[in-house]
Amino acid sequence: SMQAHGPKLHSQVVKRFKDYPNVKIFKGFLPEVLEQGCPEKIAYLHLDLNQAPAEIATLDALFDRVVPGGMIILDDYEMVFYRAQKLAEDTWFEKRGYKVFPLPTSQGFIIKR
């Protein structure tokens, strides 16, 4: 629903990262698009999807790939506009024995055990 997220977004992102050979860009919907190419092990995961169902589905798909000691950043975690997202993430992490540490940047921080 954001104006900048129109039909040209994918080509703009590809152009932006063209000089970085280690960056792979896949077009699709999360979490299904992760089947195209996702690392088996993740040391740093930053989620910024601005939608609770998408972030939870992506956590379902990626959390087990985060290595012990790996870091997870939840963007907009303490933003009033995304309260439903925070509550969904709190529930998701509590079921796994984690508490999200709120950062002064309004992000949430988790270290995987």
Side-chain angles (χ1 to χ4, degrees), residues 6-107:
K8 296 180 181 179
L9 179 61
H10 180 259
S11 61
Q12 291 169 337
V13 171
V14 169
K15 182 179 176 184
R16 169 101 169 161
F17 289 97
K18 69 180 171 52
D19 295 328
Y20 299 90
N22 60 328
V23 173
K24 296 179 178 126
I25 299 167
F26 301 100
K27 185 177 182 179
F29 293 98
L30 288 167
E32 296 81 14
V33 72
L34 297 171
E35 296 170 12
Q36 293 183 36
C38 183
E40 291 298 316
K41 294 181 181 182
I42 299 170
Y44 177 78
L45 176 63
H46 183 145
L47 291 178
D48 186 9
L49 302 175
N50 300 331
Q51 186 198 46
E55 291 214 3
I56 296 302
T58 303
L59 281 169
D60 285 338
L62 296 180
F63 185 74
D64 289 340
R65 295 177 186 231
V66 177
V67 298
M71 296 178 286
I72 301 169
I73 296 290
L74 306 171
D75 210 70
D76 303 317
Y77 174 76
E78 288 287 351
M79 294 292 287
V80 173
F81 311 115
Y82 301 110
R83 197 69 176 163
Q85 181 176 302
K86 177 209 184 324
L87 297 174
E89 290 165 341
D90 284 347
T91 300
W92 193 93
F93 279 103
E94 285 172 10
K95 288 179 182 175
R96 289 154 182 84
Y98 287 85
K99 283 193 139 299
V100 179
F101 182 79
L103 299 174
T105 57
S106 81
Q107 297 168 317

